[in-house]
Amino acid sequence: EAQVTQNPRYLITVTGKKLTVTCSQNMNHEYMSWYRQDPGLGLRQIYYSMNVEVTDKGDVPEGYKVSRKEKRNFPLILESPSPNQTSLYFCASSFRRAGEKLFFGSGTQLSVL
Amino acid sequence: GQSLEQPSEVTAVEGAIVQINCTYQTSGFYGLSWYQQHDGGAPTFLSYNALDGLEETGRFSSFLSRSDSYGYLLLQELQMKDSASYFCAVFSGNTGKLIFGQGTTLQVKP
């Protein structure tokens, strides 16, 4: 089944404890991206990747890192999480570009205490 | 900068037609997408317009006017399951940037 798999679904952590949210797609998509969703603010792009080893900042990259060593995986890394990073996170992928049909993962609800 | 505006809430009755508007300001505009999101769920793709005009997919249609920086999503024969949030998103040029609007919550009443 074609899908974007995100893990974990829920995560509670404490300030400053490094964490990684994994994202994997099995559709051979070139484009992958991360979003955070906060009430009243819609979806805001954190980072995106147009292909392997190519990543770039979205609108809210501060406090996040990403890597794209393989085509299928695009992990989101929070080196030192803070409470203002408490949010619902989505990973998404598409065949080539952001404007094409994006397939979203099921989301990760992160709480930073 | 880039910005999108869409209404925060829309209410309609089952069987009716509803239109959700989206106006945008962006440089290097390339296309406008629409996504649906049910409570607690992931966004799902509905449509994409790169050229002026109407795109129809079943009960849903999407329209774009590049000269007016405006688009809309039209939902016909509304069903209770259409109650959800709807987001427009603009895509600029050949970059990977995709900017979402704040979303419109559609409530369908019996």
Side-chain angles (χ1 to χ4, degrees):
Chain A
E1 180 191 353
Q3 60 185 358
V4 177
T5 303
Q6 243 182 277
N7 281 299
R9 182 71 178 91
Y10 300 94
L11 180 58
I12 300 174
T13 189
V14 294
T15 300
K17 186 175 181 183
K18 181 180 178 180
L19 67 90
T20 300
V21 184
T22 63
C23 175
S24 180
Q25 50 91 7
N26 62 0
M27 296 169 280
N28 201 35
H29 284 170
E30 291 185 358
Y31 178 88
M32 297 186 76
S33 59
W34 277 101
Y35 301 86
R36 63 177 287 173
Q37 186 172 29
D38 303 288
L41 295 178
L43 290 144
R44 293 181 292 167
Q45 192 177 44
I46 303 171
Y47 268 96
Y48 61 91
S49 170
M50 301 286 279
N51 214 325
V52 176
E53 301 292 2
V54 180
T55 63
D56 212 339
K57 295 177 181 178
D59 280 338
V60 289
E62 294 78 20
Y64 304 95
K65 282 177 58 176
V66 293
S67 70
R68 188 92 182 272
K69 294 186 172 61
E70 307 164 280
K71 199 170 188 178
R72 62 183 292 127
N73 295 323
F74 191 46
L76 179 69
I77 303 155
L78 285 72
E79 295 264 358
S80 183
S82 62
N84 65 11
Q85 291 179 299
T86 292
S87 187
L88 178 59
Y89 291 86
F90 288 103
C91 177
S93 71
S94 68
F95 182 57
R96 280 183 310 158
R97 295 183 298 196
E100 296 178 357
K101 179 178 179 179
L102 273 177
F103 292 79
F104 281 82
S106 53
T108 296
Q109 181 64 58
L110 172 65
S111 295
V112 183
L113 306 176
Chain B
Q2 296 176 314
S3 66
L4 292 93
E5 283 194 22
Q6 53 180 126
S8 57
E9 291 181 5
V10 173
T11 302
V13 296
E14 227 175 342
I17 299 172
V18 72
Q19 179 174 311
I20 299 173
N21 299 322
C22 175
T23 57
Y24 60 87
Q25 280 188 313
T26 184
S27 56
F29 174 85
Y30 202 85
L32 180 72
S33 302
W34 289 92
Y35 287 83
Q36 179 191 60
Q37 185 181 31
H38 286 99
D39 263 352
T44 56
F45 175 84
L46 292 176
S47 69
Y48 172 64
N49 295 69
L51 303 175
D52 285 357
L54 192 68
E55 296 275 346
E56 297 181 70
T57 309
R59 294 188 297 114
F60 293 4
S61 304
S62 59
F63 172 82
L64 175 65
S65 169
R66 296 171 69 108
S67 59
D68 294 323
S69 298
Y70 163 76
Y72 66 72
L73 180 70
L74 191 73
L75 296 84
Q76 303 182 72
E77 300 171 18
L78 281 174
Q79 301 175 8
M80 297 298 291
K81 67 178 182 179
D82 297 329
S83 292
S85 292
Y86 293 84
F87 295 89
C88 58
V90 292
F91 165 50
S92 296
N94 272 327
T95 72
K97 285 210 167 185
L98 185 65
I99 307 296
F100 282 84
Q102 293 184 6
T104 298
T105 300
L106 169 64
Q107 186 179 16
V108 180
K109 295 186 171 180

